[in-house]
Amino acid sequence: MSATHDVALGMPQLPAPDYPAEVRARLEADAREVIARYPDSRSALLPLLHLVQSEEGHVSRTGVRFCAEVLELTTAEVTAVATFYTMYRRKPSGDYQVGVCTNTLCAVMGGDAIFEALQQHLGVGNNETTDDGKVTLEHIECNAACDFAPVVMVNWEFFDGQTVESAKALVDDLRAGRAVRPTRGAPLCTYKETARILAGFPDERPGAVAASGGAGPASLVGLKLAKGEAAPGRIVSPRGESEPSDAPTPPGPGQQPPETHPSSHDAPQPTAASDPSHPAGPAAEEGE
């Protein structure tokens, strides 16, 4: 039977090829450094997958083989992990991974429109790469930056408060090789460089670590409130209603006070439902 028929019938592939000798030696030296950080070598699998991704831009069959051999695992065990996490690419991707958040808040603030517009603008679908190999587009789940919605991430760096036009300009600059600066965080680098940093190796670019910063001011409001460092927010009435006063308005002559529905925490009832003196009568036990 020919090799073509083997593939058509879903026959197992031959063992993956190994890295060239010089690449293998370099990766083995890096792998030993990573493995030494853990009491159990198996715990090093996630950073090692980032390491092989930094070599080829995705986790190839060769990368899976390498991880399995240095950790004494089966390729099935490595593949199970590599296919579980979306941060590992399973096919060649672009220099810049452009992820558009389409989770709830970003979507309603314009994320869905941005993602649709970028697909048309770049001529690619979800998880597809432009012909020049520069940009891979994907929709992603929440980036924990809802107060900056809609958010676009490039190689896991934040580009906050995007619009359709700003997102188009962003990908055009990436493809043209023009300098692009994230809204906050470290300067942008390629996807392979990002993968090596995620593997646990230092970012050696001058000033990159100092520029990484932290959360934006909107993300820290709750923390400041909890510490008493900020005044409580103003209560805003729903649209069309007047602003609430500090005290409730008393009912006018002949008017009944408005009916309220306090919770049991606000106004505990005098008796429990299981009490025989409860107005509704004692609650029956199951089966009675």
Side-chain angles (χ1 to χ4, degrees):
M1 184 177 293
S2 68
T4 302
H5 288 156
D6 288 347
V7 173
L9 294 174
M11 301 297 288
Q13 292 179 295
L14 295 174
D18 199 357
Y19 288 118
E22 66 278 8
V23 174
R24 173 88 187 201
R26 174 167 45 81
L27 289 177
E28 284 181 342
D30 287 339
R32 286 193 295 270
E33 182 177 337
V34 172
I35 294 169
R37 301 171 190 160
Y38 299 92
D40 183 346
S41 63
R42 188 187 184 106
S43 299
L45 178 55
L46 295 183
L48 285 186
L49 285 169
H50 283 300
L51 176 64
V52 297
Q53 188 158 251
S54 73
E55 185 65 33
E56 300 180 83
H58 69 291
V59 179
S60 65
R61 293 176 60 237
T62 297
V64 169
R65 171 185 170 179
F66 174 82
C67 292
E69 289 177 352
V70 297
L71 295 176
E72 298 183 358
L73 300 173
T74 66
T75 54
E77 289 174 308
V78 176
T79 300
V81 174
T83 56
F84 180 82
Y85 294 102
T86 57
M87 58 191 175
Y88 300 121
R89 310 295 301 169
R90 298 311 313 281
K91 61 182 181 180
S93 59
D95 293 333
Y96 299 100
Q97 187 80 27
V98 175
V100 182
C101 182
T102 56
N103 216 323
T104 308
L105 186 56
C106 278
V108 300
M109 294 293 287
D112 282 341
I114 290 172
F115 182 64
E116 182 177 349
L118 288 184
Q119 289 186 93
Q120 296 293 328
H121 186 65
L122 296 172
V124 297
N126 185 41
N127 280 326
E128 293 182 357
T129 303
T130 53
D131 292 339
D132 57 10
K134 293 291 185 181
V135 171
T136 298
L137 179 68
E138 68 170 346
H139 74 81
I140 49 181
E141 294 300 324
C142 182
N143 290 310
C146 303
D147 42 345
F148 299 103
V151 175
V152 173
M153 297 196 81
V154 181
N155 295 349
W156 310 118
E157 299 294 348
F158 288 100
F159 290 80
D160 303 322
Q162 292 294 296
T163 65
V164 167
E165 293 309 314
S166 67
K168 286 182 179 179
L170 171 61
V171 296
D172 286 346
D173 286 343
L174 292 172
R175 298 183 73 184
R178 292 187 284 268
V180 171
R181 178 76 188 186
T183 309
R184 51 198 165 93
L188 196 63
C189 58
T190 67
Y191 190 64
K192 289 182 179 180
E193 291 170 327
T194 302
R196 183 169 178 82
I197 295 169
L198 291 174
F201 293 94
D203 188 343
E204 297 177 349
R205 295 174 297 158
V209 175
S212 60
S219 302
L220 300 175
V221 171
L223 178 61
K224 290 182 177 180
L225 283 171
K227 290 182 175 181
E229 298 174 358
R234 183 172 62 91
I235 298 176
V236 180
S237 298
R239 217 174 287 172
E241 296 184 11
S242 60
E243 291 292 321
S245 61
D246 293 335
T249 304
Q255 293 181 331
Q256 296 295 323
E259 184 178 353
T260 59
H261 301 277
S263 72
S264 60
H265 299 288
D266 298 325
Q269 301 303 309
T271 61
S274 58
D275 194 319
S277 62
H278 190 278
E285 296 291 336
E286 185 178 354
E288 293 183 359

